[in-house]
Amino acid sequence: MSRALPKYNKRRVGLAGGAAAVALTGAVIAGTALAGESSDGGGADVRTLAGPGTISCPDVASQLPAVPASAQAEVTRNLALLDQQIAEANKRLVDTVGQGGPNFVQNAILGPLEDKRIATVNRIATAIGRTAERPAGLDSLASCSLDAQGGPAAPGQEETGGAGTAAPPADDAGGDTGAGGGDAGAGQGGDATGAGTISCPDVASQLPAVPASAQAEVTRNLALLDQQIAEANKRLVDTVGQGGPNFVQNAILGPLEDKRIATVNRIATAIGRTAERPAGLDSLAACTLTK
């Protein structure tokens, strides 16, 4: 009997040590979920043990040309912002497990993240373009994907999986097929369901004279602003009764503001190529819900 006890104690110590190691590993991995893109330029691959999966985004820093010294600080700041955006999206992924319908992750997390990244990479391209050739195609690095290998997707959440990004739902395509120009502002596409309508500041009336060379691009993006409002109003109707008290802000108004920021930045950039770039258009991006 006395000889059996040491073996038993060793086994207990081994099990306790193994459990401690697993707990420590879990803490390290969970902490990594807030780290954003890897600093070694290998692309973002953030991990979490919360179950909903993790978000992976293309690495932007490794795709940039030589950055002029005059643009270095602004480029570095926006690269850090890309990291922060991924960390925030991963946190939201964990915090909203089980919320929303089948397209919740795309509409409330991946879509808004892509819009934020488009605006950020456009700022990077603009900063470089002031004193060197403006890098083209950075928008193609904005789309991110949900890697569900970190754990099973929560019920009701869209699982895009793998490296590819699933196509957005039809009402979130963000194409240029919307009704023509003007960003009519006051809530479009309202309905009689009691969901209310979304109202946005008018952008067209706040623009300076648009150079002829920028007219087509500006008109196209003004039409896109109209389409974004119409899509947000449709989503408002389609999701009546879903989510908690902050659902409309988090899943509709917030993503709409991000899309509008990206769009008005494209308008400002188009004008700024041959005339003075209009400032302060970002202040027109936020919209409100009118009951």
Side-chain angles (χ1 to χ4, degrees):
M1 173 82 66
S2 60
R3 268 182 280 186
L5 285 175
K7 293 182 181 178
Y8 175 71
N9 288 335
K10 284 181 181 179
R11 196 158 50 242
R12 288 178 57 191
V13 170
L15 289 174
V22 170
L24 179 58
T25 302
V28 171
I29 295 176
T32 307
L34 299 179
E37 294 184 31
S38 61
S39 59
D40 61 3
D45 188 17
V46 188
R47 300 290 176 188
T48 176
L49 293 179
T54 56
I55 292 171
S56 297
C57 304
D59 181 54
V60 174
S62 63
Q63 304 301 312
L64 297 180
V67 178
S70 59
Q72 190 64 62
E74 188 171 354
V75 169
T76 299
R77 182 169 63 251
N78 280 287
L79 287 174
L81 182 56
L82 290 172
D83 288 341
Q84 179 183 341
Q85 290 163 355
I86 298 173
E88 290 171 349
N90 270 296
K91 183 178 186 299
R92 186 176 305 166
L93 195 64
V94 174
D95 292 344
T96 58
V97 169
Q99 290 187 20
N103 295 321
F104 179 82
V105 171
Q106 176 62 46
N107 292 342
I109 299 178
L110 289 178
L113 175 59
E114 180 175 359
D115 294 327
K116 289 179 180 179
R117 284 173 61 86
I118 287 174
T120 305
V121 298
N122 276 332
R123 287 195 294 271
I124 290 173
T126 299
I128 295 174
R130 290 192 188 105
T131 53
E133 183 178 357
R134 179 187 172 95
L138 293 185
D139 284 5
S140 66
L141 305 174
S143 183
C144 302
S145 63
L146 176 64
D147 177 4
Q149 294 177 359
Q157 286 190 318
E158 181 182 9
E159 180 176 327
T160 60
T165 303
D171 67 335
D172 198 33
D176 293 334
T177 58
D183 179 37
Q188 300 177 2
D191 72 297
T193 65
T197 56
I198 291 171
S199 299
C200 303
D202 181 53
V203 173
S205 63
Q206 303 301 312
L207 297 179
V210 178
S213 59
Q215 189 65 60
E217 188 171 354
V218 169
T219 299
R220 183 169 65 251
N221 280 287
L222 287 174
L224 182 56
L225 288 172
D226 286 339
Q227 181 184 345
Q228 290 163 354
I229 299 173
E231 289 170 349
N233 272 298
K234 181 178 184 301
R235 191 175 301 155
L236 193 65
V237 174
D238 293 345
T239 59
V240 168
Q242 289 188 21
N246 296 320
F247 178 81
V248 171
Q249 179 61 47
N250 292 339
I252 300 177
L253 290 179
L256 175 59
E257 181 176 357
D258 293 330
K259 289 180 179 180
R260 284 172 60 86
I261 288 174
T263 305
V264 297
N265 275 331
R266 287 196 294 270
I267 291 173
T269 298
I271 295 173
R273 290 192 187 106
T274 54
E276 183 178 357
R277 179 186 171 97
L281 293 185
D282 283 5
S283 65
L284 305 175
C287 302
T288 58
L289 174 64
T290 303
K291 286 289 188 179

